[in-house]
Amino acid sequence: MTSAIRNNWTLEEIQAIYDQPLMELVYQAATVHRQWHSAKEIQVCTLLSIKTGGCPEDCSYCGQAARYHTDIKVQALLPTETVLAHAQKAKETGSTRFCMAAAWREVRDNKDFDRVIDMVKGVNDLGLEVCCTLGMLTEEQAVRLQEAGLHAYNHNLDTSEDYYKEIISTRKFDNRINTINNVRKAGITVCSGGIIGLGETHRDRMSMLLTLATMPKHPESVPINALARVKGTPLEDNPKVDAWDMVRMIATARIVMPASTVRLTAGRIEMTESEQAWCFMAGANSIFTGERQTLLVTPNPGVSEDMKMLQNLGLEPKAAISH
Ligand code: SAM
Ligand code: SF4
């Protein structure tokens, strides 16, 4: 029997899934995974920071917030040609999705946004699934991005509604939900997940999953990040996230949102190949890859290391989507 898509989960149900003995949980998640996805395929995505640092927000995990003294160098919006050259390279090394991230609080209707629109068109023309994460969006801005060919918009909830104010004071949880709704209305697919290791309780984690899993339509993509501890941020001394917590979180996301792509994202560099294998067993079916240090503000494993890992595990990069 194929598990059904449900949008009426309760916190207790989700908590009961998460609290199962680990082997039961992973077995259940792996079963659901096989009903909805090809278990040998992993989508390989490339993330490029197109505008880095100097962000006015105070997200306490983020090295790009201007108010924290971190080693991240501020970089203005990259030229379109540079971005397209990165996208071309990403395509050649096996990525099928290209995500452009900007350290902005929100999108403004200015020349920079016009340039991002050109980038979206250019990446789309290369035949890559194009994704952006640019901060808050109005409905009109979302429509412009959709018309330019944007496939997905990333906007993470990061944590539970209750814990949100402990992590970010410069915007509200509701602002996040609003942007996600604007993205939906424009017909762009939604990429939204969160971070574990911010000091939240297990209940907060489940509450975040509840918000995602009770949306009228589940996000097509759900990134599960482990906090990448950045020196100079308020959370730099938080304990390292336990790999089993990542496995539990991924498995629970897989079970409650069976059709979504579950993305193993930040913090992956601190995980061994075996730990990552557990995450794939638990239903993760997408990773971000990048040239070590250069593409991302927090390092990710290099492209060839990732391809070697997939090969070791008998997994394959998912073939390109057709436009
Ligand atoms: N400024 C935009 C925003 O906040 O939506 C887009 C870029 S922001 C870097 C995208 C996401 O990266 C955040 O929502 C957060 O989930 C994740 N992120 C940022 N720093 C992180 C860190 N140190 N560890 C884990 N995830 C992080
Ligand atoms: Fe970082 Fe985005 Fe928060 Fe800015 S809004 S501090 S870039 S996570």
Side-chain angles (χ1 to χ4, degrees), residues 14-295:
I14 300 181
Q15 187 78 55
I17 293 171
Y18 182 83
D19 286 340
Q20 290 179 90
L22 189 80
M23 299 300 147
E24 283 307 314
L25 173 61
V26 172
Y27 182 74
Q28 196 185 336
T31 308
V32 171
H33 187 57
R34 277 152 186 75
Q35 290 167 351
W36 288 88
H37 306 270
S38 160
K40 63 172 197 293
E41 284 185 348
I42 299 288
Q43 185 185 40
V44 181
C45 315
T46 296
L47 176 63
L48 176 68
S49 182
I50 58 171
K51 186 266 168 183
T52 309
C55 182
E57 299 285 78
D58 70 351
C59 310
S60 45
Y61 50 79
C62 185
Q64 302 198 65
R67 66 192 71 200
Y68 309 137
H69 299 287
T70 68
D71 294 338
I72 289 168
K73 289 197 181 62
V74 176
Q75 161 84 65
L77 188 65
L78 292 175
T80 307
E81 311 79 70
T82 311
V83 173
L84 294 182
H86 276 286
Q88 178 65 41
K89 183 147 186 250
K91 184 180 173 177
E92 284 161 12
T93 51
S95 279
T96 53
R97 184 165 169 131
F98 189 72
C99 184
M100 298 181 275
W104 287 332
R105 175 173 201 271
E106 76 254 296
V107 167
R108 306 240 169 103
D109 294 306
N110 56 17
K111 288 222 158 50
D112 277 357
F113 187 40
D114 296 341
R115 281 168 58 193
V116 172
I117 293 288
D118 286 340
M119 294 172 195
V120 170
K121 288 183 182 150
V123 176
N124 195 38
D125 287 345
L126 289 173
L128 288 161
E129 238 179 71
V130 47
C131 173
C132 279
T133 181
L134 314 168
M136 292 184 259
L137 278 188
T138 64
E139 209 178 322
E140 293 72 33
Q141 291 164 342
V143 169
R144 258 191 93 190
L145 286 164
Q146 193 276 337
E147 286 170 355
L150 190 74
H151 176 81
Y153 195 79
N154 164 272
H155 206 61
N156 293 332
L157 295 181
D158 287 337
T159 190
S160 70
E161 183 166 9
D162 282 350
Y163 197 61
Y164 201 78
K165 54 187 175 309
E166 309 295 328
I167 297 299
I168 298 147
S169 77
T170 49
R171 62 169 185 260
K172 297 206 157 44
F173 191 77
D174 272 356
N175 298 135
R176 294 307 261 187
I177 300 285
N178 239 334
T179 294
I180 293 172
N181 290 341
N182 290 339
V183 169
R184 267 277 172 247
K185 275 185 246 161
I188 299 168
T189 67
V190 172
C191 172
S192 186
I195 311 176
I196 65 172
L198 304 174
E200 75 286 343
T201 61
H202 291 276
R203 200 78 176 164
D204 286 311
R205 294 176 187 174
M206 295 311 98
S207 168
M208 183 187 83
L209 287 181
L210 179 74
T211 304
L212 296 168
T214 54
M215 286 179 174
K217 197 166 183 221
H218 293 164
E220 283 77 3
S221 160
V222 181
I224 304 291
N225 294 291
L227 172 70
R229 297 164 295 172
V230 182
K231 208 161 167 284
T233 62
L235 302 185
E236 65 174 321
D237 294 325
N238 273 25
K240 179 176 181 287
V241 169
D242 189 300
W244 298 124
D245 280 13
M246 278 298 274
V247 172
R248 276 189 188 279
M249 193 68 186
I250 287 169
T252 310
R254 165 54 63 229
I255 294 166
V256 298
M257 292 172 278
S260 305
T261 296
V262 176
R263 212 177 291 284
L264 171 58
T265 41
R268 203 162 62 81
I269 194 156
E270 291 193 62
M271 298 176 93
T272 64
E273 192 165 305
S274 327
E275 287 168 347
Q276 294 183 53
W278 272 93
C279 293
F280 299 133
M281 194 66 198
N285 56 350
S286 175
I287 54 170
F288 271 119
T289 189
E291 293 158 35
R292 190 183 274 274
Q293 305 279 359
T294 56
L295 284 188

